[in-house]
Structures are given as C-alpha cells and as structure tokens.
Amino acid sequence: MKIICQVYRSKREEGMYLYCRKDEGLDKVPEPLRKRFGIAEPAMVLVLDGTRKLARVDVNKVMASLDDPGYYLQLPPRPDLDAQVSTIQQHNSKLS
C-alpha cells in the first residue's frame, strides 16, 4: 500500500514536523495540537510504501499513525535526554 504524505514543518519549534495524508491535510489534527504546532509550513511530499527509509522515524509507524489517528507528530530530538538515558543504561549494566 502506498500513501502520499504531506510533511509540515512547525514555524514555532525547530525540528517539529507533522506527517499527514496529502488528500486530508491537517483535517485530522486536533485543535490543541495545531495551536501548539503553530503555523504549519509545507516542507515536502513523500510517497510512503513501507520500504522507504526515513531519517528519524520508522516508516511503518508513520503509516500506521496516518490510518489512526490520522497524523504523525515528530518531535525535535532531545540530546540532553538521550545522554541521560545512555548514562542510566551504563550505570544499570554495571549493577548486573
């Protein structure tokens, strides 16, 4: 199955993206999320078919989210959080 996907970039927060079906646009995105997202600037159109690789997210997860709830929100990376998780994992492995 192929899905034509419109990706929107948030003008409010760097690295935040919304993936939506091209034919539906932002119709299924809840109003509170639209307010948080701010102005949605079209970034690109992708054809998703399950074999395409995406940079920071699993394409199958995006495709499933486009079916229900009808959109996928990609949040900006949080390097500080990733570093904390890595430190905790290293600490826990020493306890074993």
Side-chain angles (χ1 to χ4, degrees):
M1 175 174 84
K2 292 184 180 182
I3 298 173
I4 299 175
C5 175
Q6 174 70 58
V7 181
Y8 297 94
R9 175 184 310 120
S10 172
K11 300 240 347 172
R12 179 174 287 166
E13 189 167 342
E14 180 75 27
M16 185 183 286
Y17 294 90
L18 267 172
Y19 294 70
C20 301
R21 287 180 179 270
K22 178 130 175 83
D23 59 340
E24 295 174 349
L26 298 166
D27 293 345
K28 292 191 175 179
V29 179
E31 188 60 32
L33 177 54
R34 284 192 202 190
K35 286 183 181 178
R36 178 179 176 216
F37 194 79
I39 295 172
E41 177 180 68
M44 67 184 91
V45 175
L46 303 172
V47 177
L48 305 179
D49 65 3
T51 61
R52 180 186 188 104
K53 300 259 185 200
L54 299 175
R56 292 188 8 225
V57 67
D58 180 343
V59 68
N60 293 307
K61 186 174 182 178
V62 173
M63 291 174 69
S65 293
L66 292 177
D67 285 335
D68 184 37
Y71 63 92
Y72 179 82
L73 175 64
Q74 179 179 309
L75 296 172
R78 295 192 46 195
D80 57 326
L81 181 61
D82 292 341
Q84 289 174 2
V85 169
S86 177
T87 301
I88 291 169
Q89 288 173 340
Q90 288 175 359
H91 177 73
N92 286 345
S93 69
K94 293 177 183 176
L95 295 175
S96 305

